[in-house]
Amino acid sequence: MSEPDDCLERTYRSLAREEPPASLDARVLAAARRAVARPSLARRWGVPVSLAALLVLAIGVTLEMQHEERGVESSTPEEPAASATRAAPEPQSAPLNAPAAHEAPATRELAKPFAGAPAAEPSRSNLAPQATRVQPAPMAPPPAAERRFAGPAASMAKRSAAGASADAMTRSPSPVDELEKIAKLRESGRDAEADRALDEFRKRFPDYRIDEATWERVKPR
Amino acid sequence: MEPADEELMLSYARGEARAFEALYTRHKGALYRFVLRSTKTAGEAEELAQEIWMRVIGARASYEPRAKFTTWLFSIAHNRLVDHWRAKGLALVSLDDGGEDDDPPAEPAAGPEAEPERALEAAQVARRLAEAIAALPFAQREAFLLHREGGLTAAEIARATGTNEEAAKSRVRYAMKKLREAIGDE
């Protein structure tokens, strides 16, 4: 774009080569080190250890309940009421030797995530059959790529949808969504919150360019 | 061979503080001068430069080397400056004024300023240049400084400032034309 040795270039190079003060260097470098400082041993291992303990506990409770249930099952043939129930034909009954059929509904609920058992199974003893009904799975959030490249219009439409707030909780909001939230805070006069949100926005999306029209809606008052 | 800026930033994102130190040392001067010559006061420049670097630190986890590191760095600087001017209620648009004529051909390089009068004259020319830079419209000054201090090409300036390449070229060209006029290098 310019000749390397022209007069303008030489004169520009003769201008003072200001450098940031040492105090600024120290502040920036200290912040950079703090940001990546390794957490203490307790903080590093706290979460994994807690999760492992929780997993062990859940498995233990599940196994214990299965064990207790087998004990109950072995005594049922002597009970006349239970025998009568079994005598009635029931085409949808699971085979008696199927492990899941021996579990109480509560046990099955606990065991599901670990055993990968099917969600629905017929109840042999007709006890609360609705408890075993298949519950519809919650709607999965849209794929990340779809969310990222959705245009502003799509985002606006999504926001106006009835389930928008629940959806927003399960996904990371886009810059457009974030700015819209800030604009709404401004509109409702919650300027302190909007200021904080704008500050946070700039930290999260430092190279995102806010267009003039949006800026007018989100700018500090 | 020294690692590229992008590698350093990725290393920093993985937790290597030394990588950031190398990156900071490499670019702190250019960024500081870019901000200083855009804001004019050292106090403001210091504050803004710190905020820009803090944003770099804060965005380390989401950093992806989709462009040169300096393009990314100066786009953050551009956004911060725009916010700064907007907060002060200053207009940003008075761009690309002037004709469409090409830059005049460059003068041949002058010899070394051996005599005291020549040194004095050079200092005066440098002062006129500094004043002319300060008097440029925001977008032209920014484009010129991104080119001179950031070493960005027209395409990179366009990317950093959210404009197109032709507009970026044009801003640099008009800025240089005015600066040459100011120092009598026409």
Side-chain angles (χ1 to χ4, degrees):
Chain A
M1 276 186 283
S2 65
E3 297 295 323
D5 289 321
D6 70 5
C7 182
L8 174 59
E9 185 68 34
R10 277 184 289 109
T11 311
Y12 187 80
R13 281 202 300 263
S14 75
L15 293 178
R17 306 290 293 165
E18 301 96 338
E19 290 288 326
S23 58
L24 174 59
D25 294 348
R27 286 198 299 275
V28 171
L29 292 175
R33 281 187 217 107
R34 269 198 311 275
V36 295
R38 290 179 186 279
S40 67
L41 202 65
R43 284 178 61 196
R44 278 169 73 191
W45 290 101
V47 172
V49 167
S50 304
L51 286 175
L54 188 66
L55 192 65
V56 167
L57 185 66
I59 291 171
V61 168
T62 306
L63 291 175
E64 182 62 27
M65 290 181 81
Q66 281 177 338
H67 183 256
E68 284 176 10
E69 196 62 28
R70 274 193 211 104
V72 169
E73 199 66 32
S74 64
S75 65
T76 42
E78 280 80 45
E79 293 171 15
S83 304
T85 309
R86 200 170 298 148
E90 196 170 331
Q92 290 182 332
S93 291
L96 285 176
N97 60 353
H102 297 276
E103 296 169 9
T107 313
R108 284 195 297 272
E109 287 304 314
L110 268 174
K112 251 185 234 172
F114 303 104
E121 57 186 82
S123 169
R124 180 171 52 85
S125 57
N126 291 334
L127 287 173
Q130 67 275 18
T132 58
R133 197 172 296 149
V134 182
Q135 295 297 317
M139 283 264 283
E146 186 187 318
R147 293 197 305 269
R148 187 170 301 162
F149 297 110
S155 301
M156 293 289 283
K158 208 181 283 178
R159 270 192 302 280
S160 63
S165 60
D167 185 44
M169 288 175 72
T170 61
R171 66 193 171 94
S172 178
S174 71
V176 175
D177 293 336
E178 289 284 297
L179 288 170
E180 190 60 30
K181 271 189 216 162
I182 298 169
K184 288 208 167 88
L185 288 172
R186 293 271 180 229
E187 283 164 17
S188 56
R190 293 153 70 185
D191 284 333
E193 284 176 66
D195 289 346
R196 279 196 298 276
L198 188 59
D199 204 36
E200 189 58 33
F201 176 86
R202 274 309 187 197
K203 284 180 191 158
R204 290 185 57 204
F205 307 104
D207 57 340
Y208 185 84
R209 229 177 312 283
I210 305 174
D211 64 74
E212 284 296 328
T214 308
W215 175 253
E216 284 304 311
R217 298 176 62 212
V218 301
K219 69 180 180 184
R221 303 285 189 257
Chain B
M1 198 171 125
E2 292 189 351
D5 293 342
E6 296 75 26
E7 288 173 39
L8 287 173
M9 188 62 201
L10 289 171
S11 297
Y12 176 58
R14 288 193 296 268
E16 290 177 35
R18 280 178 186 277
F20 181 86
E21 284 171 26
L23 206 51
Y24 180 75
T25 305
R26 213 177 266 183
H27 299 291
K28 65 175 186 171
L31 182 82
Y32 181 71
R33 286 188 293 279
F34 168 72
V35 177
L36 180 66
R37 287 172 190 167
S38 301
T39 57
K40 299 171 194 160
T41 73
E44 269 182 330
E46 194 176 325
E47 188 182 326
L48 289 168
Q50 179 173 337
E51 286 180 27
I52 292 162
W53 282 112
M54 292 303 172
R55 287 183 183 183
V56 170
I57 292 167
R60 68 192 180 284
S62 58
Y63 174 74
E64 289 174 28
R66 284 176 295 198
K68 263 170 64 180
F69 171 79
T70 44
T71 307
W72 184 68
L73 173 67
F74 282 100
S75 72
I76 294 173
H78 164 82
N79 282 347
R80 184 62 195 91
L81 281 174
V82 167
D83 285 354
H84 175 73
W85 295 122
R86 279 168 168 171
K88 288 181 166 249
L90 299 177
L92 298 174
V93 277
S94 89
L95 316 173
D96 304 335
D97 50 337
E100 278 298 321
D101 52 324
D102 289 336
D103 292 338
E107 294 282 326
E113 292 81 21
E115 303 160 31
E117 305 88 66
R118 297 286 305 270
L120 182 63
E121 190 187 341
Q124 286 170 343
V125 170
R127 195 176 62 245
R128 284 207 303 275
L129 177 61
E131 289 167 357
I133 291 170
L136 285 173
F138 173 81
Q140 290 179 16
R141 182 173 58 235
E142 182 183 53
F144 174 77
L145 291 173
L146 286 172
H147 178 47
R148 279 291 176 279
E149 292 293 348
L152 303 192
T153 64
E156 289 160 354
I157 292 169
R159 185 166 183 160
T161 60
T163 186
N164 61 57
E165 192 172 338
E166 279 311 305
K169 264 186 202 165
S170 160
R171 287 172 188 177
V172 175
R173 191 187 308 132
Y174 291 137
M176 290 173 69
K177 184 171 186 293
K178 286 177 187 170
L179 298 179
R180 284 197 173 104
E181 284 169 3
I183 62 173
D185 177 32
E186 296 177 87

